[in-house]
Amino acid sequence: MKVLMLNGSPHEKGCTYTALAEVAGELNQADIETEIMHVGGGTVHGCMGCGACGKLGKCIYSDDKVNEAVEKMRQSDGLIVGSPVHYASAGGAITSFLDRFFYSGSSAAAHKPGAAVASARRAGTTATLDQLNKYFMITQMPVVSSQYWNMVHGQCPEDVKKDEEGMQIMRVLGRNMAWMLKSIEAGKAAGVTLPETEEKKRTNFIR
């Protein structure tokens, strides 16, 4: 089993990475492979709403990592998204990234457990988590929780490591993700199939 972890921070080895690495440590101890993919360090296109991905099977933009991440997601069993807090919300790069990742690749993530992690110096974490969790909830992904909201605090990685409660939350998140993945695997082995899906109905309120 494998969990894909998206680091949406501009800083590849900053506070968000420190939190994700703590989660990864617990998953690895449970014999679950992890990959931390840095996606917040370069230019990321915003979604244009062109609908081309519905015909091409991938996003029309190919000069960033969105299509690569979708393919990695197809080979993964769970997803964790980490973001710093910018103005009480997720960073602009990871927001643009996830808009396109889920619009073009939702089938790769559906019914796989997902979790969000927020990193802040001081505040804005719960608003950021609320934003990130919505991507999972619209994609039929079970949302994995911890013993408190999935957040860490600090100005730099050294500060984050001193956030004892935050680090513990990350470890519990890792163990909870491992438990859910293994429970799903056991269910599949016992013959439990994915929920029946229906063709989506779209109701416009202006007629």
Side-chain angles (χ1 to χ4, degrees), residues 19-162:
L20 292 175
E22 193 76 3
V23 181
E26 291 297 319
L27 288 166
N28 297 156
Q29 286 190 36
D31 296 321
I32 295 172
E33 181 185 353
T34 57
E35 178 180 355
I36 300 178
M37 184 178 183
H38 184 221
V39 301
T43 300
V44 179
H45 296 282
C47 181
M48 300 297 289
C50 65
C53 57
K55 302 174 183 177
L56 299 174
K58 62 180 181 179
C59 183
I60 194 170
Y61 291 117
S62 58
D63 56 349
D64 57 26
K65 297 180 180 179
V66 169
N67 288 326
E68 178 186 355
V70 170
E71 289 307 308
K72 288 180 182 291
M73 191 67 234
R74 294 192 192 282
Q75 306 303 318
S76 300
D77 304 285
L79 175 67
I80 298 178
V81 177
S83 175
V85 172
H86 292 174
Y87 289 93
S89 61
I94 190 63
T95 297
S96 293
F97 192 96
L98 293 177
D99 283 352
R100 291 169 46 227
F101 176 90
F102 280 98
Y103 200 69
S104 65
S106 60
S107 63
H111 300 110
K112 297 177 180 179
V117 169
S119 169
R121 183 192 68 82
R122 186 167 180 85
T125 46
T126 53
T128 298
L129 291 172
D130 180 59
Q131 175 188 342
L132 294 175
N133 283 331
K134 286 184 171 71
Y135 289 103
F136 310 136
M137 296 172 71
I138 203 171
T139 313
Q140 302 184 68
M141 299 174 69
V143 179
V144 184
S145 62
S146 184
Q147 64 189 28
Y148 196 76
W149 294 293
N150 302 337
M151 62 179 73
V152 297
H153 292 85
Q155 181 72 30
C156 61
E158 290 71 25
D159 290 344
V160 171
K161 292 175 182 178
K162 295 176 184 176

